[in-house]
Amino acid sequence: NLMQNSQQAKIETLPKTGVPLNWEQLLSSIFIISPEYGTRTTNIITQDNEGNISIFDRSYDERGECIEKQYFSITPKK
């Protein structure tokens, strides 16, 4: 859920970087939804105490809708 947080910062809290204000606000969220520019993939990689690695990958379209999910795992040789 954290990786899909599209809440944008309030205008008065945005930095003045030279980017137009509407773009600055768009870019302030973790998950960016826009036809021109936005989050297209998210990846989470975890490793447990035994060294097992899990990789969760999601792909999104320009509307922010998930269009593909992938899962990979790596188990260390013992």
Side-chain angles (χ1 to χ4, degrees), residues 27-55:
L27 299 174
S28 69
S29 67
I30 293 171
F31 190 81
I32 301 168
I33 301 172
S34 170
E36 298 87 22
Y37 178 87
T39 302
R40 298 298 183 252
T41 63
T42 57
N43 302 281
I44 298 175
I45 302 171
T46 63
Q47 183 174 18
D48 65 20
N49 291 336
E50 296 171 1
N52 300 304
I53 298 172
S54 297
I55 303 167

Side-chain angles (χ1 to χ4, degrees), residues 12-76:
E12 61 271 10
T13 65
L14 296 172
K16 295 185 180 11
T17 64
V19 175
L21 192 58
N22 62 328
W23 273 94
E24 196 72 68
Q25 188 169 35
L26 177 73
L27 299 174
S28 69
S29 67
I30 293 171
F31 190 81
I32 301 168
I33 301 172
S34 170
E36 298 87 22
Y37 178 87
T39 302
R40 298 298 183 252
T41 63
T42 57
N43 302 281
I44 298 175
I45 302 171
T46 63
Q47 183 174 18
D48 65 20
N49 291 336
E50 296 171 1
N52 300 304
I53 298 172
S54 297
I55 303 167
F56 302 88
D57 176 81
R58 289 186 180 186
S59 298
Y60 303 92
D61 64 15
E62 66 278 353
R63 296 179 311 270
E65 295 178 16
C66 183
I67 55 174
E68 184 177 7
K69 293 180 184 180
Q70 298 184 79
Y71 171 76
F72 307 95
S73 63
I74 302 169
T75 303

